[in-house]
Amino acid sequence: MKYYKWSDKGNGRKIGKIGNYCLYEKEITEEKCEEISETPRPGYGTFKFVFGPSAGGLLETIKFNIITNGEDIINISYEPFKTRIIEVSGLNIEDATLKIERINAPFTASHTIAFLLAVEDALEIEQDYEIQLKRIAEIELERIRNHLFVISRLTETASLNVPTYHLLSLIEKTNRLIGKMCGHRYFFGVNKINQIECNFDSLLKIIYIAKEFKQIFDGLIESRIFIDRLQQNGIVKDETSIGPAARASGFEYDARKDFEILPYKDLDFTVIKENDADAFARFLVRGYEILESTRILVELSDKINGNKKEKVSTKNKDGEGLARVESPSGDLAYYVKINNEKINTIYLLSPSLINIKLFVKSVKKTIFTDFPFNWESFGIWISELGVILK
């Protein structure tokens, strides 16, 4: 592995569990990564309340076991109902990619690019610079779309219909732009080893979407009705956090900066941070990141040329690789072991699996009416939680 090394005990920032191992910034432990889970039990003056399994009020089906005294959330645990076993072992890279890109459609670019970067690492494939820039363009477009969606979920929860529908229209415009450039609005069939089937000639049109968003964003920042539901809600400042949740707590955790497998170092961008560690801070980080990602895409528009296809040169047929990218919700990583150009072993580190544990920490001692605002601020996808790759 070019970018990671095995170690007895990881050093630096701990990212999370991948397979049975612990992933750190630049190391993966050889010992199993043990995680402690607790089952909340009612105590004196409290009772157990089950929220779900239901999609009512939530986008995806999940069950929460809540210990409450009637209003306050004393403790909470979760049970995802979507367990999906995806068989990848024994497949060649192209067939495996078809399954990887469908794990979570809104994060297709992040999943597929992380997977292919790990494969290229394992097979010691020399990555083309322009292809790497195009991969950045995909991920930043995906970040803009996802952040628009999370903010629309927050405004919908607050019954702010005008900004909600305006944001949904911007998501559709982003999807149409992606579809025009790449042939599919969720990047299906776009990514291959050292190849991307996209023509980014229309990339600058993202500016008009960002300008419309800026007007909505400025209005939301001035709305006391909206702000009051987010401020001081779901406060959590934890060194194990990732993505917007970490940056909303003042941590400069960002794989774009601390893991240079994609050439973000050649681009001028700022890691957005807030310090209040609540739902409002997470909203602000996502809003400002939409504008920052737009600036990245504008810069990329001058660096990306045409739609050329690179010849893939494979040095090896066997090897192991590990790659990490900054998905819209935080660190997303794949480990692969390849034998004879087929997948032998594959592990996934999902950002939603990390964020839901952080959400559980944040929701304790809040009240139930604040629950949906806090939940939506984390941008968790239940579809990622129950994925088992074999």
Side-chain angles (χ1 to χ4, degrees), residues 123-140:
L123 300 182
E124 297 185 28
I125 295 173
E126 185 176 348
Q127 293 152 340
D128 176 73
Y129 182 73
E130 190 164 322
I131 295 298
Q132 294 288 70
L133 292 178
K134 289 181 178 181
R135 285 171 169 171
I136 291 175
E138 281 189 53
I139 292 175
E140 295 308 315

Side-chain angles (χ1 to χ4, degrees), residues 129-236:
Y129 182 73
E130 190 164 322
I131 295 298
Q132 294 288 70
L133 292 178
K134 289 181 178 181
R135 285 171 169 171
I136 291 175
E138 281 189 53
I139 292 175
E140 295 308 315
L141 284 166
E142 191 167 79
R143 193 180 321 280
I144 289 172
R145 178 178 60 196
N146 180 78
H147 287 357
L148 286 170
F149 178 74
V150 172
I151 294 172
S152 76
R153 293 291 296 171
L154 288 169
T155 56
E156 182 180 3
T157 304
S159 298
L160 299 176
N161 291 335
V162 172
T164 297
Y165 288 118
H166 199 167
L167 288 163
L168 290 174
S169 75
L170 294 184
I171 294 169
E172 179 60 23
K173 288 180 181 179
T174 306
N175 281 334
R176 291 182 182 185
L177 178 59
I178 293 170
K180 179 181 179 182
M181 293 188 295
C182 299
H184 197 288
R185 57 175 55 200
Y186 288 107
F187 301 107
F188 284 6
V190 166
N191 293 287
K192 300 177 182 178
I193 293 178
N194 227 5
Q195 293 182 14
I196 291 180
E197 300 288 341
C198 286
N199 187 325
F200 288 107
D201 288 348
S202 304
L203 193 56
L204 284 178
K205 290 185 178 180
I206 196 66
I207 293 174
Y208 302 107
I209 295 172
K211 284 182 177 179
E212 280 192 65
F213 168 72
K214 180 70 163 53
Q215 292 180 326
I216 304 169
F217 187 53
D218 289 345
L220 291 173
I221 290 174
E222 296 297 323
S223 171
R224 275 317 323 172
I225 295 174
F226 182 64
I227 293 173
D228 285 347
R229 302 311 304 267
L230 302 180
Q231 283 185 321
Q232 301 299 302
N233 184 0
I235 297 173
V236 59

